[in-house]
Amino acid sequence: MAVSTSPATPQRPTWHTHYALFMLATIYVFNYIDRLVISILIEPIKLEFGISDTQVGLLSGVAFALFYTVFGFPAGRLSDRIGRKPVIALACIAWSGMTMLCGLATSFAMLLLFRIGVAVGEAGGTAPSVAMVSDLYPPEKRSRALSVFLMGPSLGAVFGLGLGGWIAQTYGWRTAFIAIGAPGVLLGLLLWLTVRSPAAPTRAVATNHPAKEDWRTTLGQLLATPAFLLIVAAGTLAAVMGYAIGTWNPSFLIRSHGLTMQQAGLLVGLGGGISSTVGTLLCGSVTDRMVARDPGWQLVIPLIGCMVSVPLGLAFYLWPVGIAFHVGALPVPTAFLFYLAFSFTAIWWSVPCFGAISHLFPAYRLGQATAIFVMSMTLLGVGLGPIIVGSLSDFLNPRLGQEALRYALAGSVLLYLLTSACLLAAVPRYRQKLLGERRPGAAVALANS
């Protein structure tokens, strides 16, 4: 098998490159707006349909995660074969339309069905987008580019919770779904019509078309990489905690701190969202700088973020009720000040882990590798996080009443300790693989892997 030992990398970024990144980042923001808006609408949906916290966990977690996972790997593989742009554009149109239909649901079963439709659409969003960003930018600038893209969850919280809470408070929860979903249809069309598809970079590309590699071979190679498995485990554990907190934080502020739905949405969305956005951008910049010295920093940065986040998260959930100050008419609980710091560091695992995967594998496996990472985070994170906290809250409710959710959420923060353990174990394996590939002749070995 003939092999090129001079890996091709993306050319110097142009305005077309940055415009493509802007469009991908904007679509990812609406991806998370559509996904997170349901968390600020939990209380009115419970009231209308008469459902329990466990059923809410099923609606926002398990059902969504199962279907997202089933369609995730095929979508990632399709993007490796036909290109990233068409998969992302069609997926965006699909999940946005389904979000709008959620506003028309007349029963819990119908709402559940439409949320499954959102999950199927979103399965074609994240992994192909991360792969496309990696195609657009060279390795030394990739973490910064990914940090711009991965502002999606943070900015999604700002608009999905802040704006969604205001719309629901003023016009009702059904209108919130319709108004939040509509822009995504336009964005999908705009991506399709105005963004240039990048030529995927190759790393030691063989001449016998590795993109046609059998999916079993690809999967076997991915799962035979210890650093990758540990990164997947770390991201999954972080996602369990992250989705649990993202789903239940507004309800926690409503139940334990006496805020209204609109007040809770503004605090979690604007305050937490802006803080985590800044944390994401800073993390990407710092990671690129530190990795230039030693590749191990790619995973040390998220390790530091996880360790610092544990005491901050516990302080947020366990701090007694009390108001620190008011912003106009908006009361800011003292506990929420800890959440601002927590949301700044708790997001540090995301950018470096996605970046690490982009460095581990060649372009013709990258969409599939990223899909596995996202699928695992979604299946267990989205699937288990909300329902675990919801079930624990229901279990503790007879003894703790409204405060049950407080302690259920505090327990979820401890999962970051397990995340830290996985990252710690991954660091030497990741360094060994990256440094090994930089030795002479490593390109040939990579092509044969």
Side-chain angles (χ1 to χ4, degrees):
M1 178 173 63
V3 176
S4 168
T5 59
S6 299
T9 59
Q11 296 179 355
R12 183 177 180 180
T14 66
W15 75 267
H16 293 290
T17 308
H18 299 320
Y19 173 71
L21 176 61
F22 170 77
M23 285 299 303
L24 291 172
T26 303
I27 287 174
Y28 197 46
V29 169
F30 277 89
N31 180 312
Y32 263 82
I33 290 175
D34 292 357
R35 187 181 302 190
L36 293 175
V37 69
I38 195 170
S39 66
I40 195 62
L41 306 178
I42 284 174
E43 301 305 317
I45 289 173
K46 283 187 63 178
L47 183 63
E48 178 161 339
F49 294 137
I51 58 179
S52 67
D53 282 353
T54 301
Q55 287 175 296
V56 170
L58 174 66
L59 177 68
S60 60
V62 175
F64 184 98
L66 285 174
F67 282 85
Y68 187 106
T69 302
V70 167
F71 287 88
F73 188 77
R77 183 165 178 80
L78 185 65
S79 77
D80 279 342
R81 295 175 69 87
I82 70 170
R84 326 295 189 190
K85 187 180 78 170
V87 175
I88 299 165
L90 291 175
C92 181
I93 294 169
W95 82 61
S96 301
M98 284 294 173
T99 299
M100 296 175 70
L101 287 176
C102 288
L104 304 179
T106 57
S107 67
F108 173 72
M110 188 178 293
L111 182 59
L112 181 63
L113 181 64
F114 291 144
R115 286 296 291 175
I116 289 172
V118 175
V120 173
E122 290 194 4
T126 305
S129 295
V130 170
M132 187 168 173
V133 173
S134 298
D135 292 344
L136 288 166
Y137 289 88
E140 66 272 13
K141 296 182 178 180
R142 195 167 292 160
S143 287
R144 274 171 283 190
L146 284 171
S147 71
V148 173
F149 171 75
L150 290 170
M151 290 190 302
S154 305
L155 292 179
V158 171
F159 295 105
L161 300 181
L163 181 60
W166 177 80
I167 295 173
Q169 189 86 24
T170 308
Y171 300 104
W173 66 268
R174 296 178 183 279
T175 303
F177 273 124
I178 296 171
I180 290 297
V185 177
L186 177 60
L187 285 170
L189 292 172
L190 199 59
L191 178 77
W192 185 286
L193 296 173
T194 65
V195 171
R196 296 181 179 179
S197 294
T202 57
R203 254 174 283 166
V205 177
T207 59
N208 65 343
H209 304 292
K212 297 181 180 180
E213 179 180 72
D214 181 80
W215 71 268
R216 296 178 183 85
T217 302
T218 300
L219 189 60
Q221 292 296 332
L222 300 180
L223 298 181
T225 307
F228 174 65
L229 296 180
L230 287 165
I231 292 169
V232 170
T236 300
L237 289 165
V240 171
M241 185 214 66
Y243 281 109
I245 287 175
T247 299
W248 290 107
N249 263 350
S251 292
F252 163 66
L253 291 173
I254 292 169
R255 297 181 193 182
S256 294
H257 290 273
L259 302 186
T260 67
M261 180 171 59
Q262 184 175 352
Q263 289 170 339
L266 285 172
L267 283 180
V268 175
L270 290 176
I274 292 172
S275 178
S276 59
T277 298
V278 175
T280 300
L281 290 173
L282 179 64
C283 176
S285 179
V286 170
T287 300
D288 274 343
R289 291 175 183 272
M290 299 305 294
V291 167
R293 303 179 184 180
D294 187 308
W297 279 100
Q298 189 78 39
L299 298 179
V300 172
I301 296 293
L303 174 61
I304 294 172
C306 289
M307 295 300 295
V308 172
S309 297
V310 173
L312 293 173
L314 291 175
F316 169 52
Y317 290 115
L318 301 180
W319 201 264
V321 175
I323 301 300
F325 54 85
H326 286 75
V327 178
L330 178 65
V332 179
T334 305
F336 188 74
L337 302 180
F338 291 103
Y339 181 70
L340 292 177
F342 171 79
S343 59
F344 178 81
T345 59
I347 198 69
W348 285 12
W349 65 271
S350 178
V351 170
C353 285
F354 276 108
I357 292 171
S358 78
H359 295 309
L360 283 173
F361 300 109
Y364 60 87
R365 291 175 183 162
L366 184 53
Q368 295 159 89
T370 307
I372 290 176
F373 183 54
V374 175
M375 286 161 54
S376 181
M377 289 192 301
T378 304
L379 178 63
L380 299 178
V382 179
L384 294 182
I387 201 168
I388 286 174
V389 170
S391 299
L392 185 56
S393 175
D394 284 339
F395 175 76
L396 295 174
N397 187 265
R399 283 167 286 178
L400 299 175
Q402 291 286 91
E403 294 300 293
L405 185 58
R406 175 194 295 271
Y407 292 98
L409 285 166
S412 71
V413 173
L414 298 177
L415 286 175
Y416 255 6
L417 297 177
L418 295 178
T419 303
S420 301
C422 290
L423 290 169
L424 186 63
V427 170
R429 293 166 174 82
Y430 178 80
R431 286 185 77 256
Q432 182 179 18
K433 182 169 178 61
L434 265 289
L435 293 175
E437 288 177 3
R438 294 174 184 175
R439 292 196 302 266
V444 176
L446 177 61
N448 292 324
S449 66

mmCIF file of all heavy atoms in Angstrom, residues 279-300:
data_model
loop_
_atom_site.group_PDB
_atom_site.id
_atom_site.type_symbol
_atom_site.label_atom_id
_atom_site.label_comp_id
_atom_site.label_asym_id
_atom_site.label_seq_id
_atom_site.Cartn_x
_atom_site.Cartn_y
_atom_site.Cartn_z
ATOM 1 N N GLY A 279 -15.314 31.285 30.025
ATOM 2 C CA GLY A 279 -14.478 30.153 30.404
ATOM 3 C C GLY A 279 -14.097 29.288 29.216
ATOM 4 O O GLY A 279 -12.960 28.817 29.120
ATOM 5 N N THR A 280 -15.035 29.087 28.285
ATOM 6 C CA THR A 280 -14.763 28.286 27.092
ATOM 7 C C THR A 280 -13.697 28.926 26.210
ATOM 8 O O THR A 280 -12.754 28.274 25.762
ATOM 9 C CB THR A 280 -16.064 28.097 26.279
ATOM 10 O OG1 THR A 280 -17.038 27.426 27.082
ATOM 11 C CG2 THR A 280 -15.803 27.278 25.024
ATOM 12 N N LEU A 281 -13.851 30.228 25.959
ATOM 13 C CA LEU A 281 -12.877 30.932 25.108
ATOM 14 C C LEU A 281 -11.490 30.957 25.738
ATOM 15 O O LEU A 281 -10.475 30.731 25.068
ATOM 16 C CB LEU A 281 -13.367 32.355 24.843
ATOM 17 C CG LEU A 281 -14.601 32.479 23.938
ATOM 18 C CD1 LEU A 281 -15.075 33.923 23.893
ATOM 19 C CD2 LEU A 281 -14.285 31.980 22.535
ATOM 20 N N LEU A 282 -11.435 31.240 27.040
ATOM 21 C CA LEU A 282 -10.148 31.277 27.724
ATOM 22 C C LEU A 282 -9.495 29.905 27.715
ATOM 23 O O LEU A 282 -8.286 29.775 27.481
ATOM 24 C CB LEU A 282 -10.335 31.764 29.163
ATOM 25 C CG LEU A 282 -9.067 31.829 30.012
ATOM 26 C CD1 LEU A 282 -8.097 32.859 29.442
ATOM 27 C CD2 LEU A 282 -9.393 32.161 31.467
ATOM 28 N N CYS A 283 -10.293 28.871 27.932
ATOM 29 C CA CYS A 283 -9.771 27.507 27.940
ATOM 30 C C CYS A 283 -9.136 27.151 26.605
ATOM 31 O O CYS A 283 -8.043 26.571 26.550
ATOM 32 C CB CYS A 283 -10.898 26.530 28.273
ATOM 33 S SG CYS A 283 -10.432 24.804 28.195
ATOM 34 N N GLY A 284 -9.810 27.498 25.490
ATOM 35 C CA GLY A 284 -9.261 27.188 24.175
ATOM 36 C C GLY A 284 -7.943 27.889 23.919
ATOM 37 O O GLY A 284 -6.993 27.288 23.412
ATOM 38 N N SER A 285 -7.861 29.171 24.282
ATOM 39 C CA SER A 285 -6.629 29.935 24.073
ATOM 40 C C SER A 285 -5.483 29.391 24.924
ATOM 41 O O SER A 285 -4.363 29.188 24.435
ATOM 42 C CB SER A 285 -6.880 31.410 24.397
ATOM 43 O OG SER A 285 -5.714 32.169 24.238
ATOM 44 N N VAL A 286 -5.761 29.129 26.195
ATOM 45 C CA VAL A 286 -4.733 28.621 27.104
ATOM 46 C C VAL A 286 -4.265 27.234 26.660
ATOM 47 O O VAL A 286 -3.068 26.920 26.701
ATOM 48 C CB VAL A 286 -5.263 28.591 28.553
ATOM 49 C CG1 VAL A 286 -4.287 27.843 29.464
ATOM 50 C CG2 VAL A 286 -5.487 30.002 29.067
ATOM 51 N N THR A 287 -5.200 26.399 26.227
ATOM 52 C CA THR A 287 -4.836 25.041 25.805
ATOM 53 C C THR A 287 -3.873 25.072 24.629
ATOM 54 O O THR A 287 -2.849 24.365 24.627
ATOM 55 C CB THR A 287 -6.095 24.236 25.434
ATOM 56 O OG1 THR A 287 -6.961 24.150 26.567
ATOM 57 C CG2 THR A 287 -5.722 22.826 24.983
ATOM 58 N N ASP A 288 -4.167 25.886 23.606
ATOM 59 C CA ASP A 288 -3.252 25.969 22.460
ATOM 60 C C ASP A 288 -1.855 26.438 22.885
ATOM 61 O O ASP A 288 -0.839 25.943 22.386
ATOM 62 C CB ASP A 288 -3.813 26.935 21.411
ATOM 63 C CG ASP A 288 -4.781 26.250 20.453
ATOM 64 O OD1 ASP A 288 -4.770 25.014 20.392
ATOM 65 O OD2 ASP A 288 -5.543 26.959 19.770
ATOM 66 N N ARG A 289 -1.799 27.403 23.795
ATOM 67 C CA ARG A 289 -0.500 27.911 24.249
ATOM 68 C C ARG A 289 0.287 26.850 25.016
ATOM 69 O O ARG A 289 1.484 26.657 24.808
ATOM 70 C CB ARG A 289 -0.705 29.145 25.128
ATOM 71 C CG ARG A 289 -1.210 30.369 24.378
ATOM 72 C CD ARG A 289 -1.505 31.512 25.339
ATOM 73 N NE ARG A 289 -2.056 32.666 24.651
ATOM 74 C CZ ARG A 289 -1.338 33.639 24.101
ATOM 75 N NH1 ARG A 289 -0.012 33.579 24.168
ATOM 76 N NH2 ARG A 289 -1.914 34.654 23.500
ATOM 77 N N MET A 290 -0.390 26.137 25.902
ATOM 78 C CA MET A 290 0.300 25.154 26.730
ATOM 79 C C MET A 290 0.676 23.900 25.951
ATOM 80 O O MET A 290 1.719 23.287 26.183
ATOM 81 C CB MET A 290 -0.581 24.780 27.929
ATOM 82 C CG MET A 290 -0.912 25.953 28.861
ATOM 83 S SD MET A 290 0.548 26.818 29.471
ATOM 84 C CE MET A 290 1.301 25.546 30.497
ATOM 85 N N VAL A 291 -0.178 23.510 24.993
ATOM 86 C CA VAL A 291 0.114 22.320 24.196
ATOM 87 C C VAL A 291 1.342 22.533 23.327
ATOM 88 O O VAL A 291 2.052 21.576 22.986
ATOM 89 C CB VAL A 291 -1.121 21.944 23.344
ATOM 90 C CG1 VAL A 291 -0.770 20.919 22.280
ATOM 91 C CG2 VAL A 291 -2.226 21.396 24.247
ATOM 92 N N ALA A 292 1.625 23.784 22.966
ATOM 93 C CA ALA A 292 2.839 24.071 22.191
ATOM 94 C C ALA A 292 4.089 23.679 22.975
ATOM 95 O O ALA A 292 5.135 23.393 22.392
ATOM 96 C CB ALA A 292 2.877 25.557 21.825
ATOM 97 N N ARG A 293 3.983 23.653 24.312
ATOM 98 C CA ARG A 293 5.116 23.247 25.154
ATOM 99 C C ARG A 293 5.142 21.736 25.377
ATOM 100 O O ARG A 293 6.195 21.111 25.374
ATOM 101 C CB ARG A 293 5.022 23.949 26.509
ATOM 102 C CG ARG A 293 4.976 25.474 26.424
ATOM 103 C CD ARG A 293 4.847 26.079 27.811
ATOM 104 N NE ARG A 293 4.699 27.531 27.769
ATOM 105 C CZ ARG A 293 4.573 28.298 28.848
ATOM 106 N NH1 ARG A 293 4.584 27.734 30.052
ATOM 107 N NH2 ARG A 293 4.444 29.597 28.711
ATOM 108 N N ASP A 294 3.951 21.156 25.606
ATOM 109 C CA ASP A 294 3.858 19.729 25.894
ATOM 110 C C ASP A 294 2.444 19.276 25.558
ATOM 111 O O ASP A 294 1.478 19.860 26.056
ATOM 112 C CB ASP A 294 4.151 19.458 27.374
ATOM 113 C CG ASP A 294 4.240 17.973 27.687
ATOM 114 O OD1 ASP A 294 3.307 17.235 27.338
ATOM 115 O OD2 ASP A 294 5.248 17.553 28.299
ATOM 116 N N PRO A 295 2.287 18.233 24.726
ATOM 117 C CA PRO A 295 0.946 17.796 24.340
ATOM 118 C C PRO A 295 0.090 17.315 25.504
ATOM 119 O O PRO A 295 -1.143 17.305 25.414
ATOM 120 C CB PRO A 295 1.210 16.653 23.343
ATOM 121 C CG PRO A 295 2.613 16.209 23.622
ATOM 122 C CD PRO A 295 3.340 17.436 24.071
ATOM 123 N N GLY A 296 0.720 16.928 26.602
ATOM 124 C CA GLY A 296 -0.039 16.454 27.755
ATOM 125 C C GLY A 296 -0.981 17.493 28.337
ATOM 126 O O GLY A 296 -1.997 17.160 28.959
ATOM 127 N N TRP A 297 -0.671 18.793 28.127
ATOM 128 C CA TRP A 297 -1.537 19.852 28.644
ATOM 129 C C TRP A 297 -2.930 19.804 28.025
ATOM 130 O O TRP A 297 -3.877 20.375 28.580
ATOM 131 C CB TRP A 297 -0.900 21.217 28.387
ATOM 132 C CG TRP A 297 0.146 21.582 29.393
ATOM 133 C CD1 TRP A 297 1.499 21.481 29.240
ATOM 134 C CD2 TRP A 297 -0.064 22.078 30.712
ATOM 135 N NE1 TRP A 297 2.149 21.885 30.376
ATOM 136 C CE2 TRP A 297 1.203 22.265 31.301
ATOM 137 C CE3 TRP A 297 -1.209 22.379 31.459
ATOM 138 C CZ2 TRP A 297 1.361 22.737 32.598
ATOM 139 C CZ3 TRP A 297 -1.062 22.849 32.750
ATOM 140 C CH2 TRP A 297 0.215 23.031 33.316
ATOM 141 N N GLN A 298 -3.074 19.126 26.891
ATOM 142 C CA GLN A 298 -4.388 18.992 26.255
ATOM 143 C C GLN A 298 -5.395 18.368 27.224
ATOM 144 O O GLN A 298 -6.597 18.684 27.180
ATOM 145 C CB GLN A 298 -4.267 18.119 24.999
ATOM 146 C CG GLN A 298 -5.518 18.073 24.140
ATOM 147 C CD GLN A 298 -5.689 19.306 23.275
ATOM 148 O OE1 GLN A 298 -4.725 19.841 22.741
ATOM 149 N NE2 GLN A 298 -6.934 19.766 23.136
ATOM 150 N N LEU A 299 -4.924 17.498 28.108
ATOM 151 C CA LEU A 299 -5.810 16.852 29.075
ATOM 152 C C LEU A 299 -5.585 17.324 30.507
ATOM 153 O O LEU A 299 -6.428 17.085 31.373
ATOM 154 C CB LEU A 299 -5.634 15.331 28.996
ATOM 155 C CG LEU A 299 -6.000 14.704 27.638
ATOM 156 C CD1 LEU A 299 -5.779 13.200 27.659
ATOM 157 C CD2 LEU A 299 -7.447 15.016 27.263
ATOM 158 N N VAL A 300 -4.468 17.995 30.765
ATOM 159 C CA VAL A 300 -4.229 18.541 32.100
ATOM 160 C C VAL A 300 -5.148 19.738 32.359
ATOM 161 O O VAL A 300 -5.660 19.916 33.473
ATOM 162 C CB VAL A 300 -2.750 18.941 32.285
ATOM 163 C CG1 VAL A 300 -2.555 19.696 33.599
ATOM 164 C CG2 VAL A 300 -1.858 17.699 32.254
#
